[in-house]
Amino acid sequence: MTVLVLGGTAEARELAAELHARGIGVVSSLAGRVSAPRLPEGEVRIGGFGGPHGFAAWLADQRITAVVDATHPFAERISASAVTACRLAGKPLLRLERPGWEQGPGDDWHWVADLGEAARVAPALGRRIFLTSGRQGLAAFAHLAEPWFLVRCVDPPSPPLPPKAEVVLARGPYTIASELSLLCEHGIDVLVTKDSGGAHTSAKLTACRDLGIPVVLVRRPDRGGAASVATVPAALRWVLGIR
Ligand code: NAP
């Protein structure tokens, strides 16, 4: 059998490694957004499929047995495309999605529907904003002349950016100690992040709690259409069950 893992996440890499170690054929698919991605074990293909119909044709052509959509919780289009493509090609599809973050005692969290709402809410909470919502979403903040932004992303962002912005290029996982020192060094007084979930990038939330810094969290988009699991072992069991 050959399993297609739609990737771009740590969980996708872990699943590919587990499948590869068991001698199960695995092809990982990456969008090609990051210039030097961390490559999973097994075969890798990079780039879009040309929409759901192109995706369905590719699945048939490559004789893919099953698909695991392990893309990021905010990668909406590829997940919707996978649902349609698997229906058209008659392939089983599983969604692997890590749980979202949960607010605890001492957290000052402000939930918003999207980055547009985050751009309205964050300036009322602070004047030095730490933006970790990804370089593709920066346009939502570009019209804000006054707050100062620390923008963290993997690759250099393309315009438009807010006029007062400093960019720091980095890739997780991060530690609480390094997040604390980054927040203090730049005098950050509000954080904006998507509810990505998982441990790789959660240290910033602990650091904000420790420093009493408010956090603006973008809710995950609604999804539907595919059976879903939350962990790599559960996804592995699903694959082994259809072998
Ligand atoms: P998106 O908006 O859902 O996808 C846009 C288009 O990119 C899709 O229609 C598809 O093109 C192509 N694509 C996306 N993921 C792909 C994949 N794994 N393999 C092949 N083609 C893919 O996605 P996005 O939000 O730009 O995210 C792109 C990738 O980055 C995803 O793989 C995701 O796991 C990863 N990522 C995203 C975020 C985030 O916050 N959005 C954060 C971390 C990692 P076609 O229609 O041509 O097939």
Side-chain angles (χ1 to χ4, degrees):
M1 76 186 299
T2 304
V3 178
L4 173 69
V5 177
L6 294 171
T9 59
E11 288 81 1
R13 285 190 298 277
E14 285 164 27
L15 179 61
E18 295 285 353
L19 294 171
H20 190 66
R22 285 167 175 75
I24 297 171
V26 55
V27 180
S28 293
S29 177
L30 304 178
R33 297 274 187 281
V34 174
S35 57
R38 287 181 180 135
L39 292 177
E41 288 179 51
E43 203 179 314
V44 178
R45 66 164 299 286
I46 296 181
F49 297 96
H53 288 87
F55 195 170
W58 187 93
L59 290 172
D61 188 53
Q62 300 294 313
R63 297 171 183 266
I64 297 296
T65 317
V67 179
V68 178
D69 171 15
T71 55
H72 191 270
F74 284 83
E76 289 181 73
R77 277 165 50 204
I78 187 65
S79 291
S81 184
V83 170
T84 306
C86 287
R87 183 171 39 76
L88 291 172
K91 308 289 182 187
L93 169 66
L94 181 74
R95 169 77 181 147
L96 166 56
E97 182 168 296
R98 64 179 92 126
W101 288 317
E102 285 185 18
Q103 188 165 359
D107 286 325
D108 179 13
W109 288 8
H110 303 254
W111 288 96
V112 294
D114 51 31
L115 288 172
E117 192 182 350
R120 288 192 293 280
V121 169
L125 295 167
R127 308 309 294 159
R128 295 180 69 81
I129 300 174
F130 184 23
L131 263 187
T132 64
S133 48
R135 66 188 169 122
Q136 288 182 78
L138 291 177
F141 301 87
H143 63 286
L144 294 173
E146 205 32 61
W148 178 88
F149 289 91
L150 180 65
V151 175
R152 181 165 71 190
C153 38
V154 176
D155 283 323
S158 314
L161 263 77
K164 294 182 188 166
E166 181 178 330
V167 175
V168 53
L169 300 181
R171 177 161 24 196
Y174 306 99
T175 65
I176 296 169
S178 68
E179 297 291 50
L180 281 169
S181 77
L182 189 75
L183 293 171
C184 292
E185 185 189 327
H186 292 91
I188 297 300
D189 51 17
V190 58
L191 164 70
V192 175
T193 180
K194 295 178 188 169
D195 178 18
S196 297
H200 277 234
T201 58
S202 63
K204 62 192 170 193
L205 299 171
T206 310
C208 282
R209 183 198 303 145
D210 289 354
L211 295 172
I213 293 174
V215 179
V216 178
L217 274 119
V218 181
R219 281 185 206 287
R220 293 180 173 195
D222 285 338
R223 286 174 183 276
S228 180
V229 295
T231 65
V232 172
L236 188 58
R237 281 196 295 277
W238 180 83
V239 171
L240 296 175
I242 54 172
R243 188 157 54 160

